[in-house]
Amino acid sequence: MERKEYAILGVIALATVALGVFTTSKPLSTFFVESTRQFLTTTAAMAWITWWALVVGFAIAGGVEAWTSDEQVSELLEGHGVKELGYGSLFGFVSSSCSYSAIATAKNLFKKGGSAAATLGAFMFASTNLVIEIGIVIYLLLGWQFLLADLVGGFILIGLMAFGFVYLVPDEVVEQARENVLDEGTQTVEDPVCGMEIDPDEADHSIEHDGKTYYFCSQSCKDSFDPEEANTTIREQATSLAGWKALADKQWSEWGMLWDEIAIGFIFAGLIAGFIPESVWTTVFSGPTFGLPVYVLWTAALGAVIGVATFVCSVGNVPFGAVLFSNGLPFGSVLSYIYADLIVPPIMDAYREYYGTKFAAILSGMIFLSAVLTGVVLHFIFLGAGLIPDPSSVQVAEVKIEMNYKLVLNVLATVFFLFLYWLHRSESVGDEQGHGEHAQSAD
């Protein structure tokens, strides 16, 4: 995040506290003591519950990124049929990246010939809302019903986006957007070590091997790269220390992109839980005065607006969503809130820079409408099936560190996290392998 975005979030945080001050019926001293305690315990509890899941999720994502190849992906996404949408969803799921990285990768796939439906619809959405980390955190904080709804809703939303691109958006508008991207200049390439997208014309570090040029963002990535590993199997990667170092590098890159948004998600969840009195939520979510369908529709739109306004995306949305659900936001509306992470203001501004103002407006509007409609549809599907959980089941009030499975998992996760961090920081793994190869060639 940029400094401006942190400033906006700071203003929202102060406004949250101010709203609590002006609406509480308690003495201010009592209100601040109790609210601060609730804020701290809620934030810490959510971090405690999800720590092991985040470590495991990022490690799995790092393994997928490091041990599999995404060569020629764009060729598989050139159409907008079920197969292409399926490939886009699959590649998005295994790419497991933050929203900002997802839109950059989707742009490159679109630039290289992928259809708008498969790249800007299926891939871009799946790589933020159908990934491993967010699924585990949704399960832990909101329950299996929300996880199932997230998966079902993901495919509904992708279908709506594909329908819009194929039948509603004129072909000339899509192609003009592609021309705008092509006018940017040279296509970016991926650093084979850390996964960063870089301009080959501006890259200071590169290696020629077997007629192919590999570009790197830094000297350290170049030094740790072994071109022979480009053709190794997943089993060979998983059973070598160099393969685990590649995993560690990838997962640390994911942490680097997402840690602040995850932390902000926990902090805002704690602020909302601690400083907004229950009377405010009762007033806002007063019930289906004009009938349940109208109530779910307008609260789904409200959820999407909250998702846009809070600037938090990807995994960081889930803790905040848990607090919103526990305070009365309907089931489907919470999902609309989570799905709106691809239209926060900085991302919409990136759409404008990539594709032009007209297409950016169309794309952002399609995502907003699809998020709202998907939330409404999911609400009534799960209501009819009797699968909407009790809001009290997601309330997180305080931290209880007990000798149970959570403690064991968090200790093991911390050890694993430190091991991967050591691998990431270590330069010896690549060096030792390189020295061994040189010794063999000398013999």
Side-chain angles (χ1 to χ4, degrees):
M1 284 191 174
E2 297 180 357
R3 186 177 301 177
K4 179 177 67 174
E5 294 164 27
Y6 283 119
I8 293 174
L9 288 171
V11 171
I12 296 174
L14 290 175
T16 300
V17 176
L19 178 62
V21 170
F22 284 112
T23 56
T24 185
S25 58
K26 300 177 181 178
L28 285 183
S29 59
T30 302
F31 169 75
F32 273 108
V33 170
E34 293 181 353
S35 297
T36 301
R37 177 182 178 278
Q38 182 71 17
F39 158 58
L40 294 174
T41 56
T42 299
T43 302
M46 288 189 170
W48 173 255
I49 290 171
T50 59
W51 169 243
W52 70 268
L54 290 171
V55 172
V56 172
F58 279 120
I60 294 173
V64 171
E65 286 275 326
W67 300 345
T68 60
S69 173
D70 59 356
E71 291 293 325
Q72 300 177 326
V73 169
S74 60
E75 294 181 8
L76 300 173
L77 306 181
E78 291 181 352
H80 48 252
V82 174
K83 182 175 71 173
E84 289 81 8
L85 295 178
Y87 276 130
S89 301
L90 175 63
F91 293 134
F93 167 74
V94 300
S95 74
S96 186
S97 56
C98 75
S99 299
Y100 297 96
S101 176
I103 66 169
T105 304
K107 177 202 70 172
N108 284 331
L109 294 174
F110 179 64
K111 183 177 184 177
K112 295 174 183 177
S115 70
T119 58
L120 306 182
F123 174 86
M124 192 166 71
F125 179 80
S127 62
T128 55
N129 290 288
L130 297 181
V131 294
I132 299 165
E133 312 93 277
I134 200 171
I136 298 175
V137 175
I138 286 175
Y139 175 78
L140 291 174
L141 294 184
L142 288 164
W144 66 267
Q145 298 96 330
F146 270 97
L147 175 57
L148 178 60
D150 179 63
L151 296 174
V152 173
F155 291 109
I156 293 175
L157 190 145
I158 289 170
L160 289 173
M161 293 288 291
F163 178 86
F165 279 124
V166 175
Y167 296 106
L168 300 180
V169 181
D171 291 342
E172 57 267 25
V173 174
V174 175
E175 291 311 310
Q176 181 59 54
R178 200 187 308 274
E179 288 296 324
N180 290 337
V181 177
L182 290 171
D183 287 343
E184 286 184 329
T186 306
Q187 296 182 6
T188 60
V189 296
E190 183 179 288
D191 183 322
V193 175
C194 70
M196 180 181 292
E197 293 290 334
I198 52 178
D199 185 342
D201 290 338
E202 298 180 0
D204 295 326
H205 311 282
S206 63
I207 290 177
E208 292 279 349
H209 181 75
D210 285 346
K212 182 175 181 179
T213 303
Y214 298 89
Y215 297 93
F216 307 90
C217 67
S218 64
Q219 184 65 39
S220 61
C221 282
K222 179 180 178 180
D223 291 341
S224 61
F225 175 66
D226 180 4
E228 298 300 330
E229 290 187 11
N231 298 317
T232 56
T233 65
I234 294 178
R235 165 172 280 197
E236 290 170 334
Q237 292 270 30
T239 54
S240 70
L241 193 57
W244 278 92
K245 176 168 174 29
L247 178 153
D249 291 337
K250 289 287 187 180
Q251 69 94 38
W252 196 256
S253 175
E254 293 291 322
W255 275 110
M257 290 187 291
L258 283 173
W259 74 267
D260 55 346
E261 292 188 14
I262 295 172
I264 289 169
F266 289 148
I267 291 171
F268 266 86
L271 280 172
I272 296 295
F275 284 90
I276 302 298
E278 187 175 345
S279 59
V280 174
W281 299 111
T282 303
T283 301
V284 175
F285 305 122
S286 56
T289 306
F290 298 101
L292 186 60
V294 174
Y295 177 67
V296 173
L297 178 62
W298 82 259
T299 53
L302 175 63
V305 169
I306 294 173
V308 173
T310 53
F311 279 71
V312 181
C313 50
S314 194
V315 183
N317 268 335
V318 182
F320 197 5
V323 172
L324 291 173
F325 183 62
S326 67
N327 282 285
L329 190 67
F331 179 83
S333 305
V334 174
L335 290 158
S336 295
Y337 158 75
I338 293 174
Y339 291 155
D341 62 348
L342 284 169
I343 45 175
V344 297
I347 286 180
M348 287 192 286
D349 188 54
Y351 293 152
R352 181 185 58 79
E353 292 182 4
Y354 291 163
Y355 311 114
T357 303
K358 183 177 182 179
F359 189 80
I362 292 173
L363 177 59
S364 300
M366 285 174 58
I367 294 173
F368 182 88
L369 290 175
S370 297
V372 172
L373 291 176
T374 300
V376 172
V377 170
L378 286 171
H379 186 91
F380 288 104
I381 290 177
F382 278 69
L383 179 64
L387 293 177
I388 294 181
D390 189 327
S392 63
S393 66
V394 303
Q395 290 181 356
V396 182
E398 59 185 52
V399 185
K400 291 183 179 179
I401 300 178
E402 302 172 337
M403 184 57 71
N404 57 18
Y405 78 96
K406 293 178 185 176
L407 176 62
V408 174
L409 289 174
N410 278 332
V411 170
L412 292 176
T414 301
V415 173
F416 186 44
F417 177 83
L418 293 174
F419 169 69
L420 291 178
Y421 178 72
W422 171 79
L423 278 180
H424 168 69
R425 297 291 295 175
S426 175
E427 297 291 341
S428 61
V429 174
D431 292 342
E432 287 175 1
Q433 184 170 355
H435 292 323
E437 291 176 354
H438 287 310
Q440 290 177 1
S441 60
D443 293 339

